[in-house]
Amino acid sequence: MHSKKGSLLKRWHSATISPKTCASKWQGQYWEDQDEDRVVSCASCRSFDPANTRCSINFGTPLRKCVVSSIEAHFHNCKGEEVLEIGFGRFKLARNLIVRSGGRWTGVDPQQDTSRKLQLGSGGYGHASELPFADATFDRVFGVQSIEHWGQRAGGVRTPSSYSDCFQEIARVLKPGGSIYFDAPVHFHGNEMFIMGDTEKLRSLFDPAVWTNVNIERWREDSTPLERYTPSPTEFRDWPVEIVSYPAPEVARAKAEGVVWLLVVTAQKVTT
């Protein structure tokens, strides 16, 4: 639950965000390469305030602070781009950066009224497995904490979508060379792949004939010197419904030892 002060600070940050400031803050390489992944530890993150041993993002949970930092890093330059957000909700930070840096934002969300007419430059009904746009429409497609819900089983909101089908549909509406960005919490909720932090399974969804430059960023998996952020027991209630493909000891270990961190996946559609 967000406090009133936290909600106000979040809205103020989104309303006043500057692409130029973000570009300066996040210029150059902000991660460390480890094996196949990019690791953004708290100690090395550009949002870390070492003098006060805290994150300089002054609102939200530790996970939300990482989401804000990642959006700042990835969306400060969208000049001339057509950008599609899948599952846009009410969080406008990325949307504001896109527009202020010279791009055009369009959004689809399955919770919007189906009668809401959808056109470029506005938001309306739609979902990742069936995007109501022509081929090669967008330069960039992204989602902020929405990808983990596409294949979600718990809640009975709708039939879970196939991730392969969703990425195929996203590739269809992307221009050659276009890019994607999706972030999701690990050891939290949604589809089992994200609850368990199965980055190998996620990578396997990207057909090399269609996608290139597939990168996974791991934000706050190493929180030192800040506090560990562990999943709430309330999140565990859905795990038995969601998790059907992983052995019980592995799930028990995730409950007992897992920390919540932000997974970010980016990739480009091949040009030919």
Side-chain angles (χ1 to χ4, degrees):
M1 182 70 68
H2 296 293
S3 68
K4 184 175 181 180
K5 179 181 178 181
S7 295
L8 290 172
L9 288 170
K10 180 179 73 172
R11 289 199 292 270
W12 177 254
H13 185 83
S14 179
T16 59
I17 195 74
S18 163
K20 184 176 180 180
T21 299
C22 292
S24 176
K25 177 179 177 180
W26 296 99
Q27 65 179 324
Q29 183 171 317
Y30 56 84
W31 64 86
E32 296 177 5
D33 292 308
Q34 289 188 16
D35 299 322
E36 292 186 287
D37 297 343
R38 296 174 170 182
V39 174
V40 188
S41 65
C42 285
S44 62
C45 180
R46 305 279 174 81
S47 291
F48 180 62
D49 175 2
N52 296 294
T53 319
R54 66 179 182 88
C55 180
S56 62
I57 305 298
N58 61 353
F59 58 87
T61 65
L63 179 66
R64 175 61 66 178
K65 295 175 191 295
C66 291
V67 171
V68 169
S69 295
S70 181
I71 290 173
E72 289 180 350
H74 285 277
F75 289 92
H76 55 74
N77 184 11
C78 299
K79 185 176 181 179
E81 292 187 7
E82 291 282 1
V83 186
L84 175 66
E85 180 173 8
I86 298 176
F88 57 88
R90 294 180 295 178
F91 187 47
K92 296 183 179 180
L93 180 62
R95 188 185 320 184
N96 288 345
L97 277 173
I98 290 162
V99 173
R100 289 173 190 168
S101 65
R104 180 163 69 167
W105 174 92
T106 301
V108 296
D109 195 305
Q111 296 186 0
Q112 294 291 309
D113 193 308
T114 56
S115 65
R116 185 173 177 182
K117 186 178 180 180
L118 185 60
Q119 57 186 6
L120 291 176
S122 67
Y125 175 81
H127 50 87
S129 61
E130 190 176 353
L131 297 171
F133 301 101
D135 296 358
T137 297
F138 296 99
D139 299 281
R140 193 183 311 209
V141 177
F142 78 101
V144 176
Q145 292 189 290
S146 64
I147 189 174
E148 71 271 24
H149 299 299
W150 300 351
Q152 182 172 312
R153 299 161 59 91
V157 177
R158 57 181 174 80
T159 303
S161 298
S162 158
Y163 280 95
S164 294
D165 290 348
C166 290
F167 282 124
Q168 183 176 1
E169 180 69 349
I170 289 167
R172 181 187 65 79
V173 301
L174 266 179
K175 298 174 183 177
S179 65
I180 64 166
Y181 165 103
F182 290 100
D183 65 42
V186 168
H187 295 144
F188 210 58
H189 58 217
N191 179 265
E192 63 175 3
M193 175 170 53
F194 298 99
I195 292 177
M196 299 304 294
D198 193 341
T199 56
E200 289 186 12
K201 184 174 181 180
L202 180 59
R203 283 185 183 279
S204 74
L205 295 171
F206 291 91
D207 182 350
V210 180
W211 301 99
T212 187
N213 296 328
V214 179
N215 289 300
I216 289 177
E217 297 177 0
R218 308 169 78 100
W219 293 71
R220 209 182 195 279
E221 189 175 22
D222 177 5
S223 62
T224 308
L226 302 183
E227 74 277 14
R228 294 175 78 247
Y229 185 40
T230 56
S232 164
T234 59
E235 299 294 340
F236 297 153
R237 290 181 299 195
D238 287 342
W239 285 26
V241 178
E242 293 291 347
I243 302 174
V244 297
S245 305
Y246 297 86
E250 191 174 336
V251 177
R253 187 164 54 252
K255 283 185 176 181
E257 303 173 8
V259 294
V260 178
W261 52 277
L262 184 72
L263 183 157
V264 175
V265 58
T266 61
Q268 284 182 292
K269 181 180 174 180
V270 297
T271 56
T272 56

